[in-house]
Amino acid sequence: MSATDSPIQQELIEQHGLSKDEYQNIVQHLGREPNLTELGVFSVMWSEHCSYKSSRVHLKRLPTEGERVVQGPGENAGAVDIGDGLAAVFKIESHNHPSFIEPFQGAATGVGGILRDIFTMGARPIALLNSLRFGALDLPKNRHLLKGVVSGISWYGNCIGVPTVGGEITFNDIYSKNPLVNVFCLGIVEKDRLLKGLAQGVGNPVLYIGAKTGRDGIHGATMASDSFDDQSDAKRPNVQVGDPFLEKLLLEVCLEFLEKDLLVGIQDMGAAGLTSSSCEMASRSGTGIELDVTHVPCREPNMTAYEMLLSESQERMLLVAKPGKEHDVIAICQKWGIDAAIIGRVTDDGMLRIKEGEAVVAEIPAKALAEEGPRYERPAHPPQYQDLLQGLVIENLPDVTNPSDVLLALLQSPTIASKRWVARQYDYMVGTNTLVCPGSDAAVVRIKGTDKALALTTDGNSRYCLLNPYLGGGLAVAEAARNLACSGAEPIGVTDCLNFGNPERPDIMWQFIMALEGMSDACRHFAIPVVSGNVSFYNETNGLSIYPTPVLGMVGLIEPASCVMTQWFKHEGDQIIVLGETKEDVGGTEYLKLVHAREQGNPPWLDLDQEHALHRTLLHAIRQGLIHSAHDCSEGGLAVTLAECCVSHPSTPRGATVQLAQSQLRVDALLFGESPSRAIVTASSAHVDALIGIANEQGLSAVVIGEVGGQALNITVVSDTQHHMDAVHLPVEVLADVWSHSFERQIESSDKS
């Protein structure tokens, strides 16, 4: 092999997203100048998207071990033990850049990719969730992005037959140029049959299965490692095209391989395609791989080795078969109508060697690509504007005088309003495992053949992270765990998707590090291991970065499955109890943004001990059958939480009469403040004392504030002077109409205008 196809010019190096120093490191690894194919291979593997070069040194802060952990970070997905010989396999990934350029296919292929991460581990996917961020709905571009992304998610999930059971959507102008599309998947596998991405056994055959390779997605990983500008639409060819029907066949093929014990290892061809799957499998195993690209199934003529190695065509897998089993693998693929070809073998020299027939066109140490790329500890310090962000003097703002109007406005906010318009597009019942559909604190799916269920949630609050990244990271963990506890689940594992701006900016790097610290401290305190995850940097257009947006996908175990809890009021006459203490936490709230047009102040302070006490109280009370409903208090505060409890029942809304003691609080803080570590629960009168006793044993406040019943939500605020303020008096019918339909109306009315 000649050292170069032609001399590598500096312009070509820059086109591949490599710095001068990185190029010199490539020369040192090779002991010579790379050729064009090798330059392309290094460019994708050393991209931020694949190498995590700006984040890897910091990700070590996260707790990744625990008694339930079967597989932690480093594989296609993480896995935790759920008993009965089973493991839950799950991961969350981002597809932000592709979804901005081409929302339907960007979102659809994001779903396809996360599904492959799960069934590559030998697990059958049983649930999908998502976490989405868009700009304000009054802009046509944002509505186009929302509709395209939702359509792409629903199309792929519905076609392949995996239910989309929940998620979250938040709206803020900052995401107008950089929407976020994070997709979570969970599957189940027998824990001693977990498959991994290994290339062991010198001489073992390496097989390619799945869709034919095309020119779609070339340099997709590099694109995902770059900021956007006004010319970003020109990157449309970098977005892959998905085929969920082919992926369904691929899923069944892979699970049949597992059943018949034919494989040494298997890996999805995701970002960086054939390059990443081959070098990562070899690097993990301390081996090498030799591939002959003339055997790669291609759907386009005259594809070069460069194009085949960098293509990110969807629905493809690389696998290493056990000795003598390659023909069994091919026979199964033929039975299912899947392309399969032997394209190489495992070697013992640690090299990724690419051949075209007898000619060697690339030869690179596998570890140099997968493990020995650049590692940066970039400068990090808070921005000069941080003090201004936190410098809210709440006393300078008028207190609320029309709480009913504010409550209705909050219920109309697209971030808070019901997302039934979205959920209706998802098949969330396919597979018949879904116990709690979209619309409660967490989705719940049964584990067939057991008396167990799993609760699933995605959570994150970027405004909190903007104002105080450390608190924001911890609050995201706390809210996710609270949502699970309100659903009757003990949190057992988490996966994270860390969405941030340009890491070369010290203020962005500071946000990232501090948010990671907050997440880490909260996960350690609650003993919830982080078993998988993803970092998405460069969410920035024309120099404007998104807010720091760490998103948590968390899984909880419900045992027995009969202990499932939901958020809506169920029985007339039930007593309404608030667990936890309400404080003057107005900074960073949805109320402050909506009413005062400010994203400012300090987010609510998180007391980890109080938060954990709330989780324990909820789980004890639910398991003892003491409560009938539980709903976490978050965006919009107590007033919104109570309204949602009234109207979120799928068929029977119920009213409530509530009296709140004002103490020293402002009325807006009492009604709309977002103090964490709180939940609204209901219980029969006979169980109230037992419930309060459990809370007090945990050191948690528990106060009866009202009763379920009637056709309206009535909230009275009583001051220390016994002055009564009729804060809210709204018919349930009005609340239900506003909360249930305003999201859809905003989309439809904007389209007509």
Side-chain angles (χ1 to χ4, degrees):
M1 179 184 63
S2 61
T4 58
D5 298 327
S6 60
I8 300 295
Q9 302 295 325
Q10 181 60 35
E11 182 181 358
L12 189 61
I13 296 169
E14 292 174 357
Q15 288 173 358
H16 281 76
L18 294 163
S19 69
K20 289 182 180 180
D21 288 343
E22 288 170 348
Y23 182 75
Q24 289 306 312
N25 285 340
I26 291 170
V27 173
Q28 290 179 9
H29 278 293
L30 294 178
R32 56 177 170 79
E33 298 283 327
N35 61 32
L36 178 61
T37 299
E38 291 167 334
L39 185 72
V41 166
F42 270 106
S43 76
V44 291
M45 289 308 299
W46 283 14
S47 68
E48 188 72 60
H49 189 73
C50 291
S51 73
Y52 285 27
K53 56 190 174 186
S54 299
S55 60
R56 187 170 292 204
V57 296
H58 302 292
L59 294 174
K60 296 175 182 177
R61 304 165 192 258
L62 294 169
T64 58
E65 297 179 352
E67 61 181 21
R68 290 187 179 272
V69 176
V70 177
Q71 176 63 57
E75 268 291 341
N76 291 296
V80 294
D81 189 340
I82 60 172
D84 292 332
L86 300 175
V89 179
F90 54 94
K91 190 181 184 183
I92 191 169
E93 279 273 7
S94 63
H95 232 224
N96 304 334
H97 284 54
S99 299
F100 176 58
I101 295 172
E102 175 46 64
F104 181 90
Q105 287 295 348
T109 51
V111 175
I114 198 66
L115 283 163
R116 290 193 300 279
D117 282 339
I118 301 307
F119 67 75
T120 296
M121 302 288 289
R124 179 173 290 279
I126 64 168
L128 290 160
L129 287 84
N130 50 73
S131 177
L132 311 176
R133 301 289 187 277
F134 298 101
L137 286 175
D138 56 353
L139 293 180
K141 175 70 171 178
N142 294 334
R143 297 195 301 278
H144 165 73
L145 290 169
L146 168 68
K147 291 179 178 180
V149 165
V150 170
S151 295
I153 289 171
S154 64
W155 174 72
Y156 207 103
N158 294 355
C159 289
I160 198 171
V162 178
T164 301
V165 296
E168 58 157 7
I169 311 179
T170 295
F171 295 86
N172 190 294
D173 288 341
I174 202 69
Y175 299 106
S176 290
K177 292 284 188 179
N178 286 96
L180 301 184
V181 177
N182 295 176
V183 187
F184 168 101
C185 185
L186 175 135
I188 301 297
V189 67
E190 294 178 25
K191 70 174 183 178
D192 58 353
R193 304 192 71 186
L194 206 64
L195 287 174
K196 298 184 180 181
L198 300 175
Q200 295 173 336
V202 174
N204 280 344
V206 177
L207 290 91
Y208 170 120
I209 69 169
K212 289 181 170 65
T213 294
R215 291 187 171 93
D216 51 325
I218 292 175
H219 278 297
T222 308
M223 177 195 69
S225 307
D226 195 8
S227 299
F228 278 169
D229 55 32
D230 291 332
Q231 307 305 314
S232 294
D233 278 352
K235 298 181 180 180
R236 198 173 296 269
N238 292 120
V239 179
Q240 313 94 322
V241 177
D243 183 347
F245 303 105
L246 179 60
E247 178 132 332
K248 171 62 175 173
L249 300 177
L250 197 60
L251 186 161
E252 299 301 337
V253 162
C254 290
L255 296 182
E256 188 168 341
F257 294 158
L258 174 69
E259 180 184 345
K260 296 182 177 177
D261 196 24
L262 302 178
L263 302 184
V264 172
I266 182 170
Q267 181 140 331
D268 165 41
M269 291 191 212
L274 186 56
T275 291
S276 63
S277 55
S278 55
C279 72
E280 288 174 0
M281 291 177 77
S283 179
R284 286 191 196 108
S285 308
T287 60
I289 283 184
E290 182 177 283
L291 303 177
D292 184 348
V293 293
T294 62
H295 298 304
V296 172
C298 293
R299 69 169 184 263
E300 299 182 44
N302 304 317
M303 288 191 69
T304 65
Y306 180 101
E307 291 171 325
M308 284 185 270
L309 289 169
L310 271 60
S311 168
E312 294 184 7
S313 295
Q314 295 291 286
E315 291 85 38
R316 302 179 301 157
M317 316 286 279
L318 192 70
L319 53 90
V320 176
K322 290 188 173 180
K325 299 295 186 181
E326 60 270 30
H327 298 297
D328 294 333
V329 168
I330 292 173
I332 290 172
C333 289
Q334 290 174 339
K335 180 185 75 172
W336 287 93
I338 292 286
D339 281 309
I342 300 171
I343 65 169
R345 63 186 181 90
V346 178
T347 65
D348 62 358
D349 60 6
M351 304 296 287
L352 174 64
R353 186 175 295 106
I354 309 301
K355 301 175 71 174
E356 281 184 331
E358 294 301 315
V360 177
V361 296
E363 194 169 36
I364 307 171
K367 284 191 178 295
L369 293 169
E371 294 294 334
E372 297 173 358
R375 298 285 182 271
Y376 297 132
E377 196 154 351
R378 297 190 184 276
H381 56 74
Q384 294 180 348
Y385 57 77
Q386 198 66 35
D387 288 343
L388 291 174
L389 284 175
Q390 296 178 349
L392 174 71
V393 180
I394 189 65
E395 290 78 14
N396 292 341
L397 298 178
D399 201 349
V400 62
T401 57
N402 53 346
S404 288
D405 292 346
V406 171
L407 175 57
L408 290 174
L410 284 167
L411 293 175
Q412 291 181 65
S413 164
T415 294
I416 290 178
S418 169
K419 309 303 186 299
R420 289 177 185 172
W421 178 86
V422 174
R424 283 201 307 267
Q425 300 180 54
Y426 302 150
D427 186 342
Y428 46 78
M429 293 302 294
V430 62
T432 66
N433 292 313
T434 309
L435 295 177
V436 177
C437 302
S440 194
D441 283 323
V444 180
V445 293
R446 69 165 59 86
I447 308 303
K448 288 177 178 172
T450 74
D451 193 23
K452 304 175 190 291
L454 294 175
L456 321 169
T457 186
T458 54
D459 286 290
N461 189 310
S462 60
R463 192 180 302 126
Y464 290 169
C465 287
L466 172 72
L467 300 177
N468 187 318
Y470 176 83
L471 275 177
L475 285 162
V477 175
E479 183 175 357
R482 196 183 319 134
N483 280 329
L484 297 184
C486 283
S487 303
E490 175 191 355
I492 59 173
V494 70
T495 178
D496 56 43
C497 199
L498 309 177
N499 307 275
F500 288 79
N502 184 344
E504 298 166 47
R505 289 173 44 184
D507 57 326
I508 302 298
M509 207 63 221
W510 174 79
Q511 291 175 339
F512 177 80
I513 294 170
M514 295 306 294
L516 203 62
E517 288 278 10
M519 291 166 50
S520 177
D521 286 349
C523 285
R524 290 183 195 281
H525 195 92
F526 304 146
I528 310 172
V530 180
V531 297
S532 60
N534 172 63
V535 178
S536 175
F537 278 135
Y538 295 99
N539 292 287
E540 178 177 287
T541 296
N542 293 331
L544 179 64
S545 170
I546 64 164
Y547 291 167
T549 313
V551 172
L552 282 298
M554 194 175 288
V555 176
L557 179 63
I558 303 175
E559 190 174 17
S562 59
C563 287
V564 171
M565 186 57 56
T566 50
Q567 71 182 37
W568 42 82
F569 293 152
K570 298 179 179 66
H571 303 291
E572 299 277 329
D574 271 357
Q575 299 299 291
I576 303 170
I577 301 100
V578 58
L579 300 176
E581 187 177 353
T582 300
K583 300 179 181 178
E584 194 138 300
D585 290 315
V586 178
T589 59
E590 190 73 11
Y591 158 78
L592 192 67
K593 179 178 185 295
L594 184 70
V595 174
H596 298 288
R598 296 194 181 204
E599 295 182 287
Q600 202 176 4
N602 263 306
W605 178 256
L606 175 62
D607 184 321
L608 292 171
D609 289 329
Q610 282 291 290
E611 182 70 43
H612 209 185
L614 175 64
H615 304 168
R616 292 192 299 267
T617 298
L618 286 164
L619 291 176
H620 289 337
I622 291 170
R623 288 166 182 169
Q624 292 181 30
L626 299 179
I627 62 178
H628 294 147
S629 70
H631 186 16
D632 94 297
C633 190
S634 53
E635 286 93 350
L638 279 175
V640 166
T641 303
L642 288 163
E644 289 175 339
C645 291
C646 288
V647 302
S648 57
H649 190 285
S651 61
T652 313
R654 288 182 170 85
T657 299
V658 171
Q659 182 170 291
L660 299 175
Q662 185 176 0
S663 186
Q664 301 299 313
L665 296 177
R666 291 165 56 103
V667 175
D668 54 7
L670 177 64
L671 293 175
F672 308 115
E674 296 176 6
S675 300
S677 314
R678 295 182 299 165
I680 294 290
V681 301
T682 56
S684 67
S685 299
H687 291 151
V688 168
D689 289 343
L691 172 61
I692 293 176
I694 291 173
N696 291 340
E697 286 176 9
Q698 299 294 335
L700 186 71
S701 168
V703 178
V704 177
I705 60 170
E707 184 174 295
V708 177
Q711 301 300 312
L713 172 61
N714 298 299
I715 303 177
T716 302
V717 174
V718 181
S719 70
D720 288 343
T721 60
Q722 295 303 304
H723 172 73
H724 287 60
M725 174 186 182
D726 293 328
V728 173
H729 177 73
L730 290 166
V732 170
E733 183 179 3
V734 172
L735 293 172
D737 180 68
V738 169
W739 182 76
S740 299
H741 302 298
S742 61
F743 186 82
E744 183 173 359
R745 286 172 184 153
Q746 288 179 62
I747 294 171
E748 291 179 347
S749 63
S750 296
D751 285 342
K752 293 174 183 177
S753 61

